[in-house]
Amino acid sequence: MTSVSNGTTERQAPRLSIAQMLGVIRVEFHRARTQRYPLCCLMIAVDGLDALAARDGWQAKASSMGATYDLLKRVAREHGFIGMAVQSGDRIMAVFPNTTTERMGQLGSFLLGAALTLPAPAGEMKPLTLSLGAAHNLLAETNSSFEGLVESSGRALHMATQGGGGRYVMYREAESEIDALRSDLAAATRTFREEQQALSDEIDDCGGLQRAELVDKIQRIFATVSRTPEVETLEKQVVDLAVAELYEERRKAVAAQMREHGRQVDMLERRIAKLTSLLGVTEEELARVMAMKQIDAGVASIFKTVQGLSGDDGSVAAKKAMMATIFEQNLAFQKNKESHAAAA
Amino acid sequence: MTKNSTASSGQSTGGTTAATKTSTTEETSPSKDHGVLYLGVDLGTSRTSIAASNGQRVTISSHVGYPKDVVARKLLGKDILFGDEAVKHRLSCRFYRPLASGVMKATTNEKTSDVEGNMKAAADLIREIIRLSKPRTDELVYAVIGVPAEAAIHHKDAIIKAARESVDSVMLCSEPFSVAYGLDMLDDVLVIDIGAGTTDLCRMHGTMPEESDQVTTTYAGDFVDNRLSELIAKRYPQAQFTTQMIKEIKEKHSNISDTMPSVTVELPVNGKPTSFDITEEVRTACRSIVPHMVDGLSNLIATFDPEFQSRLKNRVLLAGGGSMIKGLDLAIETEMHQRLGEGKVLRIEEPVYGGANGALKIAHDMPGEYWEKLK
């Protein structure tokens, strides 16, 4: 993999500057567009990098980015992905010509897996996780310009980061991801509703059963003693108390379970809402940018109203006559044409 | 009212069309209450220029190309090519020079007999030049288009039809008149507008010129190109060249002066670039139009009021792309002195935009009610 990094880690000095590398990538993009072969752009970010930098300083950030960059090079080399990468700031952008979306998905999985093998940053228990956003050049919005492709992969990365990180998102596949989440939610809601019903039934059923057993046991105990009115009253009071306690305990347990189910549904709903809104925003923005690209608003005229000849003009009378003649000639010609057309 | 909602992508790639797309639906059109844009268009054989009241001034060569087949369409990435781009890719296009031999006067294209194709190309060219002036959709757009006085009726109709798709109201006027009007020289002036296809001579005498005040000849840029081709072919029969190459040579080196710098060009001979000195050929070819021009001037002067003939001879205005031939003004003056006893020729400052500037001024001065009536 040809690569350029502006990171501060002690690695071999790049042979190309970032600008040169971007130039090479652009050439590759235009070649892919002309020759119509697939090309993928992968954007990589380290999750929680800002927090890490805030806690341990910029060295920790640089070191994490460096490690990620080396990881990308290693994984790409191991699995035969040929491409170009540029590291700048807190992102790494890699472009892989002749790479289908399926292959890019594989690389995403390899990278996510390999990231787990990286040593955890100092003071952290968990290893680094990566967010990966990818876009391919076979869509109208990504095929028209290199900037469009980069922008789309950036959006996919944003989607991956917003989704909690540690994931790979292919631009436009986010929609299907949301659809999958929606169907998950629908299934979960259906299941929870069934379980809720079952639990409600259970409260009654189990309560009834337990109550029956308990009543039997209590009645068996009281059967061993001589039955006086006081004892019978006492037996009734004990049975009522035990049943009430049991019922209350069971109700609390079921309510806790219901709350847990509700929390899970709520979480899924919030995630869908967030992703949908994010997708909506990006779609809206994309549409706006596309619209701006195609529709030039034009340049405003210096005149706000219809002008006509100025009275200050020395030859205003002659010019008026000329304007009238031009108009009459045009009127005769254009109206004649219209009447001929109407007649025809 | 026909409203314009231009959403063109003249330079777009991929599947988008290069032609201006227009919509005539009332529902989708914005209200045109934000201003008035005036356009002055000079529809020339070689170049089409536009000057607009929003400060835009654009000129493109009057060539239109349509990709010949799907392969060419894929390669070029556009449905229509205009100007120099069309010239560059003319081998892979159905190539039109729609205004050849005078603005759409001829019924055939110089290379094809595709009259309908020619008309369509002219219409597309007009749409494109209007699009390049960047009109806003919320402004009224009024255009004056300069055409030769002798343009045929059905071609004028085609121009108006094409223009109306992009503007709210349009008028045509005589090209040499618009040049004179732009310079505010309306009284006792002779205008020579040298284009590629035609040279228009127009006598201005304070009123709208009539038919008898105008002379149109074909001794213009194309005539010079053909003459230069003949002379080079005669002197250097082994040299290979095309009309387009000759046109470029002429535009770069045209000169009539006796002391003109030598012109050496490289032309292929059996595939090998070879240098040729064509100084004399360029001078002779460029000079060949002068006598014909003075013939036309003589006719217009001789039929004018004798009292004002002298004044007319001393107010000859040289305009159009052909006026850029170095020394042409002096050569005409010399010829006029020899044949008419006197003569003074003034070259206009902006030969390329002279017609468009004049048309813009006419558009500006035209009363609002006239525009309204032609909507």
Side-chain angles (χ1 to χ4, degrees), chain A residues 327 330-331 334-335, chain B residues 1-4 32 36-39 130 139-145 160 163-172 363 366-375:
Chain A
F327 164 69
N330 276 276
L331 185 70
Q334 293 187 29
K335 296 299 169 191
Chain B
M1 183 171 68
T2 304
K3 300 283 177 76
N4 172 38
K32 298 205 164 195
V36 183
L37 177 71
Y38 296 112
L39 303 177
I130 291 174
E139 288 181 339
L140 279 168
V141 184
Y142 293 151
V144 169
I145 301 177
I160 286 179
R164 284 181 81 99
E165 288 179 19
S166 311
V167 303
D168 292 282
S169 194
V170 59
M171 291 193 203
L172 304 183
M366 192 65 70
E369 62 265 28
Y370 291 170
W371 288 118
E372 285 293 326
K373 283 180 185 165
L374 288 175
K375 273 184 182 174

mmCIF file of all heavy atoms in Angstrom, chain A residues 327 330-331 334-335, chain B residues 1-4 32 36-39 130 139-145 160 163-172 363 366-375:
data_model
loop_
_atom_site.group_PDB
_atom_site.id
_atom_site.type_symbol
_atom_site.label_atom_id
_atom_site.label_comp_id
_atom_site.label_asym_id
_atom_site.label_seq_id
_atom_site.Cartn_x
_atom_site.Cartn_y
_atom_site.Cartn_z
ATOM 1 N N PHE A 327 -39.821 47.699 -33.234
ATOM 2 C CA PHE A 327 -40.924 47.001 -32.587
ATOM 3 C C PHE A 327 -41.994 46.588 -33.604
ATOM 4 O O PHE A 327 -42.450 45.448 -33.617
ATOM 5 C CB PHE A 327 -41.533 47.891 -31.499
ATOM 6 C CG PHE A 327 -42.886 47.439 -31.048
ATOM 7 C CD1 PHE A 327 -43.035 46.257 -30.320
ATOM 8 C CD2 PHE A 327 -44.025 48.164 -31.378
ATOM 9 C CE1 PHE A 327 -44.291 45.830 -29.933
ATOM 10 C CE2 PHE A 327 -45.274 47.726 -30.985
ATOM 11 C CZ PHE A 327 -45.405 46.553 -30.263
ATOM 12 N N ASN A 330 -40.939 43.741 -35.720
ATOM 13 C CA ASN A 330 -40.961 42.479 -34.967
ATOM 14 C C ASN A 330 -42.379 42.027 -34.673
ATOM 15 O O ASN A 330 -42.693 40.842 -34.746
ATOM 16 C CB ASN A 330 -40.176 42.618 -33.660
ATOM 17 C CG ASN A 330 -38.694 42.389 -33.868
ATOM 18 O OD1 ASN A 330 -38.233 41.254 -33.874
ATOM 19 N ND2 ASN A 330 -37.949 43.460 -34.081
ATOM 20 N N LEU A 331 -43.224 43.020 -34.342
ATOM 21 C CA LEU A 331 -44.618 42.688 -34.036
ATOM 22 C C LEU A 331 -45.279 42.063 -35.262
ATOM 23 O O LEU A 331 -45.925 41.014 -35.174
ATOM 24 C CB LEU A 331 -45.369 43.944 -33.604
ATOM 25 C CG LEU A 331 -46.800 43.721 -33.147
ATOM 26 C CD1 LEU A 331 -46.830 42.988 -31.816
ATOM 27 C CD2 LEU A 331 -47.553 45.034 -33.021
ATOM 28 N N GLN A 334 -43.687 38.578 -35.802
ATOM 29 C CA GLN A 334 -44.014 37.551 -34.798
ATOM 30 C C GLN A 334 -45.505 37.257 -34.755
ATOM 31 O O GLN A 334 -45.916 36.114 -34.624
ATOM 32 C CB GLN A 334 -43.508 37.987 -33.416
ATOM 33 C CG GLN A 334 -41.986 38.025 -33.354
ATOM 34 C CD GLN A 334 -41.452 38.283 -31.956
ATOM 35 O OE1 GLN A 334 -42.066 37.938 -30.964
ATOM 36 N NE2 GLN A 334 -40.288 38.903 -31.879
ATOM 37 N N LYS A 335 -46.316 38.290 -34.871
ATOM 38 C CA LYS A 335 -47.759 38.051 -34.802
ATOM 39 C C LYS A 335 -48.253 37.341 -36.068
ATOM 40 O O LYS A 335 -49.124 36.489 -36.004
ATOM 41 C CB LYS A 335 -48.529 39.366 -34.582
ATOM 42 C CG LYS A 335 -48.217 40.018 -33.256
ATOM 43 C CD LYS A 335 -48.593 39.139 -32.053
ATOM 44 C CE LYS A 335 -48.037 39.694 -30.756
ATOM 45 N NZ LYS A 335 -48.145 38.772 -29.630
ATOM 46 N N MET B 1 -47.762 33.521 -19.820
ATOM 47 C CA MET B 1 -46.382 33.961 -20.034
ATOM 48 C C MET B 1 -45.450 32.761 -19.941
ATOM 49 O O MET B 1 -45.548 31.961 -19.041
ATOM 50 C CB MET B 1 -46.013 34.970 -18.953
ATOM 51 C CG MET B 1 -44.623 35.528 -19.138
ATOM 52 S SD MET B 1 -44.307 36.891 -18.021
ATOM 53 C CE MET B 1 -44.284 36.086 -16.461
ATOM 54 N N THR B 2 -44.606 32.708 -20.882
ATOM 55 C CA THR B 2 -43.625 31.623 -20.844
ATOM 56 C C THR B 2 -42.554 31.978 -19.827
ATOM 57 O O THR B 2 -41.970 33.039 -19.877
ATOM 58 C CB THR B 2 -42.963 31.447 -22.215
ATOM 59 O OG1 THR B 2 -43.980 31.232 -23.153
ATOM 60 C CG2 THR B 2 -42.027 30.283 -22.204
ATOM 61 N N LYS B 3 -42.372 31.094 -18.913
ATOM 62 C CA LYS B 3 -41.370 31.376 -17.886
ATOM 63 C C LYS B 3 -40.187 30.438 -18.070
ATOM 64 O O LYS B 3 -40.317 29.338 -18.564
ATOM 65 C CB LYS B 3 -41.964 31.153 -16.500
ATOM 66 C CG LYS B 3 -43.153 32.025 -16.212
ATOM 67 C CD LYS B 3 -42.709 33.413 -15.891
ATOM 68 C CE LYS B 3 -43.874 34.339 -15.665
ATOM 69 N NZ LYS B 3 -44.529 34.209 -14.428
ATOM 70 N N ASN B 4 -39.091 30.916 -17.601
ATOM 71 C CA ASN B 4 -37.873 30.136 -17.795
ATOM 72 C C ASN B 4 -37.436 29.521 -16.478
ATOM 73 O O ASN B 4 -37.359 30.196 -15.470
ATOM 74 C CB ASN B 4 -36.782 31.079 -18.316
ATOM 75 C CG ASN B 4 -35.455 30.403 -18.367
ATOM 76 O OD1 ASN B 4 -35.385 29.241 -18.701
ATOM 77 N ND2 ASN B 4 -34.432 31.141 -18.042
ATOM 78 N N LYS B 32 -41.341 36.695 -11.560
ATOM 79 C CA LYS B 32 -40.227 37.443 -12.148
ATOM 80 C C LYS B 32 -40.314 38.899 -11.717
ATOM 81 O O LYS B 32 -40.569 39.780 -12.530
ATOM 82 C CB LYS B 32 -40.265 37.296 -13.656
ATOM 83 C CG LYS B 32 -40.110 35.854 -14.091
ATOM 84 C CD LYS B 32 -39.555 35.749 -15.459
ATOM 85 C CE LYS B 32 -39.049 34.365 -15.728
ATOM 86 N NZ LYS B 32 -38.200 34.270 -16.871
ATOM 87 N N VAL B 36 -34.845 43.188 -14.162
ATOM 88 C CA VAL B 36 -34.973 43.034 -15.611
ATOM 89 C C VAL B 36 -33.584 42.821 -16.190
ATOM 90 O O VAL B 36 -32.689 43.636 -15.978
ATOM 91 C CB VAL B 36 -35.606 44.298 -16.241
ATOM 92 C CG1 VAL B 36 -35.798 44.108 -17.731
ATOM 93 C CG2 VAL B 36 -36.919 44.622 -15.574
ATOM 94 N N LEU B 37 -33.423 41.725 -16.870
ATOM 95 C CA LEU B 37 -32.129 41.440 -17.498
ATOM 96 C C LEU B 37 -32.261 41.682 -18.997
ATOM 97 O O LEU B 37 -33.116 41.089 -19.657
ATOM 98 C CB LEU B 37 -31.721 39.987 -17.233
ATOM 99 C CG LEU B 37 -30.421 39.546 -17.894
ATOM 100 C CD1 LEU B 37 -29.218 40.202 -17.225
ATOM 101 C CD2 LEU B 37 -30.260 38.027 -17.842
ATOM 102 N N TYR B 38 -31.403 42.557 -19.514
ATOM 103 C CA TYR B 38 -31.378 42.810 -20.958
ATOM 104 C C TYR B 38 -30.231 42.018 -21.570
ATOM 105 O O TYR B 38 -29.127 41.969 -21.001
ATOM 106 C CB TYR B 38 -31.166 44.289 -21.240
ATOM 107 C CG TYR B 38 -32.295 45.163 -20.753
ATOM 108 C CD1 TYR B 38 -32.108 46.045 -19.699
ATOM 109 C CD2 TYR B 38 -33.542 45.110 -21.359
ATOM 110 C CE1 TYR B 38 -33.142 46.843 -19.250
ATOM 111 C CE2 TYR B 38 -34.585 45.909 -20.913
ATOM 112 C CZ TYR B 38 -34.381 46.768 -19.855
ATOM 113 O OH TYR B 38 -35.401 47.553 -19.411
ATOM 114 N N LEU B 39 -30.498 41.441 -22.707
ATOM 115 C CA LEU B 39 -29.460 40.697 -23.418
ATOM 116 C C LEU B 39 -29.304 41.262 -24.827
ATOM 117 O O LEU B 39 -30.298 41.535 -25.500
ATOM 118 C CB LEU B 39 -29.834 39.214 -23.538
ATOM 119 C CG LEU B 39 -30.129 38.422 -22.269
ATOM 120 C CD1 LEU B 39 -30.546 37.000 -22.640
ATOM 121 C CD2 LEU B 39 -28.909 38.379 -21.368
ATOM 122 N N ILE B 130 -27.453 32.069 -24.440
ATOM 123 C CA ILE B 130 -28.301 32.735 -23.437
ATOM 124 C C ILE B 130 -28.022 32.137 -22.058
ATOM 125 O O ILE B 130 -27.921 32.843 -21.067
ATOM 126 C CB ILE B 130 -29.793 32.626 -23.812
ATOM 127 C CG1 ILE B 130 -30.063 33.481 -25.051
ATOM 128 C CG2 ILE B 130 -30.689 33.062 -22.658
ATOM 129 C CD1 ILE B 130 -31.455 33.361 -25.624
ATOM 130 N N GLU B 139 -35.952 36.931 -12.790
ATOM 131 C CA GLU B 139 -35.879 38.219 -13.476
ATOM 132 C C GLU B 139 -36.551 38.123 -14.845
ATOM 133 O O GLU B 139 -36.517 37.069 -15.488
ATOM 134 C CB GLU B 139 -34.418 38.634 -13.682
ATOM 135 C CG GLU B 139 -33.725 39.068 -12.413
ATOM 136 C CD GLU B 139 -32.279 39.486 -12.667
ATOM 137 O OE1 GLU B 139 -31.695 39.099 -13.688
ATOM 138 O OE2 GLU B 139 -31.743 40.193 -11.812
ATOM 139 N N LEU B 140 -37.095 39.232 -15.266
ATOM 140 C CA LEU B 140 -37.611 39.295 -16.634
ATOM 141 C C LEU B 140 -36.411 39.324 -17.565
ATOM 142 O O LEU B 140 -35.434 40.026 -17.290
ATOM 143 C CB LEU B 140 -38.411 40.584 -16.825
ATOM 144 C CG LEU B 140 -39.844 40.605 -16.319
ATOM 145 C CD1 LEU B 140 -40.361 42.032 -16.328
ATOM 146 C CD2 LEU B 140 -40.724 39.725 -17.202
ATOM 147 N N VAL B 141 -36.450 38.562 -18.627
ATOM 148 C CA VAL B 141 -35.317 38.556 -19.563
ATOM 149 C C VAL B 141 -35.800 39.033 -20.928
ATOM 150 O O VAL B 141 -36.678 38.420 -21.537
ATOM 151 C CB VAL B 141 -34.698 37.143 -19.674
ATOM 152 C CG1 VAL B 141 -33.460 37.186 -20.563
ATOM 153 C CG2 VAL B 141 -34.311 36.605 -18.305
ATOM 154 N N TYR B 142 -35.231 40.166 -21.377
ATOM 155 C CA TYR B 142 -35.582 40.742 -22.667
ATOM 156 C C TYR B 142 -34.340 40.728 -23.548
ATOM 157 O O TYR B 142 -33.283 41.213 -23.139
ATOM 158 C CB TYR B 142 -36.067 42.180 -22.493
ATOM 159 C CG TYR B 142 -37.391 42.320 -21.753
ATOM 160 C CD1 TYR B 142 -37.678 43.459 -21.011
ATOM 161 C CD2 TYR B 142 -38.359 41.327 -21.821
ATOM 162 C CE1 TYR B 142 -38.891 43.604 -20.344
ATOM 163 C CE2 TYR B 142 -39.572 41.466 -21.154
ATOM 164 C CZ TYR B 142 -39.828 42.594 -20.417
ATOM 165 O OH TYR B 142 -41.030 42.731 -19.762
ATOM 166 N N ALA B 143 -34.479 40.192 -24.751
ATOM 167 C CA ALA B 143 -33.302 40.052 -25.608
ATOM 168 C C ALA B 143 -33.504 40.698 -26.966
ATOM 169 O O ALA B 143 -34.591 40.639 -27.542
ATOM 170 C CB ALA B 143 -32.983 38.574 -25.792
ATOM 171 N N VAL B 144 -32.436 41.311 -27.439
ATOM 172 C CA VAL B 144 -32.400 41.784 -28.831
ATOM 173 C C VAL B 144 -31.303 40.994 -29.529
ATOM 174 O O VAL B 144 -30.178 40.910 -29.034
ATOM 175 C CB VAL B 144 -32.113 43.296 -28.905
ATOM 176 C CG1 VAL B 144 -31.806 43.716 -30.335
ATOM 177 C CG2 VAL B 144 -33.304 44.083 -28.388
ATOM 178 N N ILE B 145 -31.644 40.389 -30.640
ATOM 179 C CA ILE B 145 -30.684 39.574 -31.369
ATOM 180 C C ILE B 145 -30.394 40.232 -32.712
ATOM 181 O O ILE B 145 -31.318 40.513 -33.482
ATOM 182 C CB ILE B 145 -31.219 38.136 -31.580
ATOM 183 C CG1 ILE B 145 -31.515 37.490 -30.217
ATOM 184 C CG2 ILE B 145 -30.213 37.291 -32.352
ATOM 185 C CD1 ILE B 145 -32.122 36.106 -30.310
ATOM 186 N N ILE B 160 -36.175 33.156 -33.296
ATOM 187 C CA ILE B 160 -37.126 33.634 -32.288
ATOM 188 C C ILE B 160 -37.663 32.470 -31.460
ATOM 189 O O ILE B 160 -37.742 32.538 -30.234
ATOM 190 C CB ILE B 160 -38.276 34.414 -32.960
ATOM 191 C CG1 ILE B 160 -37.729 35.769 -33.401
ATOM 192 C CG2 ILE B 160 -39.461 34.595 -32.023
ATOM 193 C CD1 ILE B 160 -38.708 36.650 -34.104
ATOM 194 N N ALA B 163 -35.027 31.353 -29.048
ATOM 195 C CA ALA B 163 -34.760 32.331 -27.997
ATOM 196 C C ALA B 163 -35.910 32.402 -26.999
ATOM 197 O O ALA B 163 -35.686 32.541 -25.795
ATOM 198 C CB ALA B 163 -34.514 33.696 -28.624
ATOM 199 N N ARG B 164 -37.124 32.255 -27.500
ATOM 200 C CA ARG B 164 -38.291 32.390 -26.616
ATOM 201 C C ARG B 164 -38.343 31.313 -25.540
ATOM 202 O O ARG B 164 -39.012 31.476 -24.529
ATOM 203 C CB ARG B 164 -39.581 32.382 -27.436
ATOM 204 C CG ARG B 164 -39.829 33.685 -28.137
ATOM 205 C CD ARG B 164 -41.123 33.615 -28.903
ATOM 206 N NE ARG B 164 -42.238 33.834 -28.017
ATOM 207 C CZ ARG B 164 -42.870 34.998 -27.883
ATOM 208 N NH1 ARG B 164 -42.487 36.021 -28.593
ATOM 209 N NH2 ARG B 164 -43.871 35.139 -27.072
ATOM 210 N N GLU B 165 -37.656 30.229 -25.778
ATOM 211 C CA GLU B 165 -37.621 29.180 -24.748
ATOM 212 C C GLU B 165 -36.848 29.637 -23.521
ATOM 213 O O GLU B 165 -37.008 29.100 -22.439
ATOM 214 C CB GLU B 165 -36.967 27.917 -25.315
ATOM 215 C CG GLU B 165 -37.853 27.199 -26.300
ATOM 216 C CD GLU B 165 -37.174 25.968 -26.850
ATOM 217 O OE1 GLU B 165 -36.214 25.485 -26.243
ATOM 218 O OE2 GLU B 165 -37.615 25.494 -27.916
ATOM 219 N N SER B 166 -35.963 30.620 -23.720
ATOM 220 C CA SER B 166 -35.106 31.037 -22.617
ATOM 221 C C SER B 166 -35.342 32.467 -22.159
ATOM 222 O O SER B 166 -34.790 32.881 -21.150
ATOM 223 C CB SER B 166 -33.629 30.902 -23.024
ATOM 224 O OG SER B 166 -33.384 29.650 -23.587
ATOM 225 N N VAL B 167 -36.097 33.228 -22.920
ATOM 226 C CA VAL B 167 -36.313 34.628 -22.531
ATOM 227 C C VAL B 167 -37.808 34.935 -22.528
ATOM 228 O O VAL B 167 -38.610 34.164 -23.049
ATOM 229 C CB VAL B 167 -35.584 35.604 -23.491
ATOM 230 C CG1 VAL B 167 -34.100 35.318 -23.550
ATOM 231 C CG2 VAL B 167 -36.186 35.550 -24.888
ATOM 232 N N ASP B 168 -38.148 36.069 -21.942
ATOM 233 C CA ASP B 168 -39.562 36.430 -21.871
ATOM 234 C C ASP B 168 -40.047 37.136 -23.122
ATOM 235 O O ASP B 168 -41.193 36.998 -23.515
ATOM 236 C CB ASP B 168 -39.787 37.327 -20.647
ATOM 237 C CG ASP B 168 -39.577 36.551 -19.368
ATOM 238 O OD1 ASP B 168 -40.473 35.797 -18.988
ATOM 239 O OD2 ASP B 168 -38.496 36.659 -18.769
ATOM 240 N N SER B 169 -39.164 37.915 -23.709
ATOM 241 C CA SER B 169 -39.554 38.633 -24.917
ATOM 242 C C SER B 169 -38.300 38.840 -25.762
ATOM 243 O O SER B 169 -37.218 39.059 -25.218
ATOM 244 C CB SER B 169 -40.179 39.975 -24.524
ATOM 245 O OG SER B 169 -40.849 40.531 -25.611
ATOM 246 N N VAL B 170 -38.468 38.769 -27.078
ATOM 247 C CA VAL B 170 -37.288 38.844 -27.952
ATOM 248 C C VAL B 170 -37.597 39.678 -29.193
ATOM 249 O O VAL B 170 -38.729 39.675 -29.684
ATOM 250 C CB VAL B 170 -36.806 37.416 -28.331
ATOM 251 C CG1 VAL B 170 -37.872 36.624 -29.040
ATOM 252 C CG2 VAL B 170 -35.542 37.454 -29.188
ATOM 253 N N MET B 171 -36.591 40.404 -29.644
ATOM 254 C CA MET B 171 -36.724 41.169 -30.891
ATOM 255 C C MET B 171 -35.482 40.933 -31.731
ATOM 256 O O MET B 171 -34.390 40.692 -31.203
ATOM 257 C CB MET B 171 -36.821 42.666 -30.596
ATOM 258 C CG MET B 171 -38.103 43.078 -29.929
ATOM 259 S SD MET B 171 -38.290 44.852 -29.977
ATOM 260 C CE MET B 171 -39.416 45.090 -28.607
ATOM 261 N N LEU B 172 -35.663 41.030 -33.030
ATOM 262 C CA LEU B 172 -34.526 40.931 -33.944
ATOM 263 C C LEU B 172 -34.254 42.316 -34.510
ATOM 264 O O LEU B 172 -35.170 43.126 -34.639
ATOM 265 C CB LEU B 172 -34.843 39.970 -35.092
ATOM 266 C CG LEU B 172 -35.263 38.544 -34.734
ATOM 267 C CD1 LEU B 172 -35.461 37.734 -36.005
ATOM 268 C CD2 LEU B 172 -34.229 37.870 -33.852
ATOM 269 N N ALA B 363 -31.960 47.011 -26.519
ATOM 270 C CA ALA B 363 -32.840 46.340 -25.548
ATOM 271 C C ALA B 363 -33.133 47.267 -24.374
ATOM 272 O O ALA B 363 -34.270 47.354 -23.893
ATOM 273 C CB ALA B 363 -32.179 45.059 -25.064
ATOM 274 N N MET B 366 -35.503 50.193 -25.428
ATOM 275 C CA MET B 366 -36.827 49.808 -25.917
ATOM 276 C C MET B 366 -37.869 50.024 -24.801
ATOM 277 O O MET B 366 -37.681 49.540 -23.687
ATOM 278 C CB MET B 366 -36.800 48.334 -26.320
ATOM 279 C CG MET B 366 -37.996 47.856 -27.091
ATOM 280 S SD MET B 366 -38.186 48.621 -28.705
ATOM 281 C CE MET B 366 -36.828 47.933 -29.626
ATOM 282 N N PRO B 367 -38.946 50.761 -25.085
ATOM 283 C CA PRO B 367 -39.955 50.996 -24.033
ATOM 284 C C PRO B 367 -40.577 49.686 -23.523
ATOM 285 O O PRO B 367 -40.711 48.722 -24.292
ATOM 286 C CB PRO B 367 -41.008 51.845 -24.740
ATOM 287 C CG PRO B 367 -40.309 52.459 -25.888
ATOM 288 C CD PRO B 367 -39.276 51.472 -26.323
ATOM 289 N N GLY B 368 -40.951 49.698 -22.254
ATOM 290 C CA GLY B 368 -41.475 48.496 -21.604
ATOM 291 C C GLY B 368 -42.710 47.932 -22.278
ATOM 292 O O GLY B 368 -42.895 46.724 -22.376
ATOM 293 N N GLU B 369 -43.576 48.847 -22.777
ATOM 294 C CA GLU B 369 -44.833 48.358 -23.360
ATOM 295 C C GLU B 369 -44.589 47.546 -24.637
ATOM 296 O O GLU B 369 -45.347 46.635 -24.955
ATOM 297 C CB GLU B 369 -45.821 49.509 -23.630
ATOM 298 C CG GLU B 369 -45.367 50.554 -24.623
ATOM 299 C CD GLU B 369 -44.713 51.753 -23.948
ATOM 300 O OE1 GLU B 369 -44.149 51.577 -22.849
ATOM 301 O OE2 GLU B 369 -44.753 52.855 -24.528
ATOM 302 N N TYR B 370 -43.494 47.866 -25.338
ATOM 303 C CA TYR B 370 -43.179 47.094 -26.544
ATOM 304 C C TYR B 370 -42.804 45.660 -26.162
ATOM 305 O O TYR B 370 -43.220 44.700 -26.809
ATOM 306 C CB TYR B 370 -42.027 47.743 -27.319
ATOM 307 C CG TYR B 370 -42.367 49.073 -27.977
ATOM 308 C CD1 TYR B 370 -41.373 49.868 -28.539
ATOM 309 C CD2 TYR B 370 -43.683 49.522 -28.056
ATOM 310 C CE1 TYR B 370 -41.664 51.075 -29.143
ATOM 311 C CE2 TYR B 370 -43.985 50.736 -28.654
ATOM 312 C CZ TYR B 370 -42.972 51.510 -29.192
ATOM 313 O OH TYR B 370 -43.276 52.701 -29.787
ATOM 314 N N TRP B 371 -42.020 45.567 -25.122
ATOM 315 C CA TRP B 371 -41.632 44.225 -24.665
ATOM 316 C C TRP B 371 -42.863 43.432 -24.241
ATOM 317 O O TRP B 371 -42.994 42.254 -24.546
ATOM 318 C CB TRP B 371 -40.656 44.318 -23.487
ATOM 319 C CG TRP B 371 -39.268 44.775 -23.823
ATOM 320 C CD1 TRP B 371 -38.638 45.893 -23.361
ATOM 321 C CD2 TRP B 371 -38.328 44.116 -24.677
ATOM 322 N NE1 TRP B 371 -37.371 45.981 -23.875
ATOM 323 C CE2 TRP B 371 -37.151 44.896 -24.689
ATOM 324 C CE3 TRP B 371 -38.357 42.958 -25.444
ATOM 325 C CZ2 TRP B 371 -36.016 44.549 -25.418
ATOM 326 C CZ3 TRP B 371 -37.228 42.614 -26.169
ATOM 327 C CH2 TRP B 371 -36.087 43.398 -26.164
ATOM 328 N N GLU B 372 -43.735 44.139 -23.525
ATOM 329 C CA GLU B 372 -44.941 43.458 -23.022
ATOM 330 C C GLU B 372 -45.768 42.890 -24.180
ATOM 331 O O GLU B 372 -46.275 41.775 -24.104
ATOM 332 C CB GLU B 372 -45.799 44.445 -22.216
ATOM 333 C CG GLU B 372 -45.246 44.766 -20.834
ATOM 334 C CD GLU B 372 -45.283 43.572 -19.898
ATOM 335 O OE1 GLU B 372 -46.220 42.757 -20.009
ATOM 336 O OE2 GLU B 372 -44.359 43.432 -19.079
ATOM 337 N N LYS B 373 -45.870 43.708 -25.236
ATOM 338 C CA LYS B 373 -46.716 43.287 -26.358
ATOM 339 C C LYS B 373 -46.144 42.091 -27.106
ATOM 340 O O LYS B 373 -46.872 41.363 -27.777
ATOM 341 C CB LYS B 373 -46.915 44.456 -27.325
ATOM 342 C CG LYS B 373 -47.930 45.459 -26.814
ATOM 343 C CD LYS B 373 -48.105 46.600 -27.776
ATOM 344 C CE LYS B 373 -49.032 47.650 -27.175
ATOM 345 N NZ LYS B 373 -48.977 48.914 -27.879
ATOM 346 N N LEU B 374 -44.853 41.916 -27.012
ATOM 347 C CA LEU B 374 -44.234 40.799 -27.751
ATOM 348 C C LEU B 374 -44.086 39.534 -26.911
ATOM 349 O O LEU B 374 -43.515 38.557 -27.367
ATOM 350 C CB LEU B 374 -42.861 41.230 -28.282
ATOM 351 C CG LEU B 374 -42.898 42.214 -29.447
ATOM 352 C CD1 LEU B 374 -41.510 42.659 -29.818
ATOM 353 C CD2 LEU B 374 -43.581 41.595 -30.666
ATOM 354 N N LYS B 375 -44.580 39.559 -25.700
ATOM 355 C CA LYS B 375 -44.448 38.376 -24.833
ATOM 356 C C LYS B 375 -45.269 37.216 -25.371
ATOM 357 O O LYS B 375 -46.351 37.426 -25.896
ATOM 358 C CB LYS B 375 -44.901 38.715 -23.419
ATOM 359 C CG LYS B 375 -43.767 39.287 -22.585
ATOM 360 C CD LYS B 375 -44.231 39.521 -21.174
ATOM 361 C CE LYS B 375 -43.120 40.144 -20.351
ATOM 362 N NZ LYS B 375 -43.594 40.516 -19.027
#
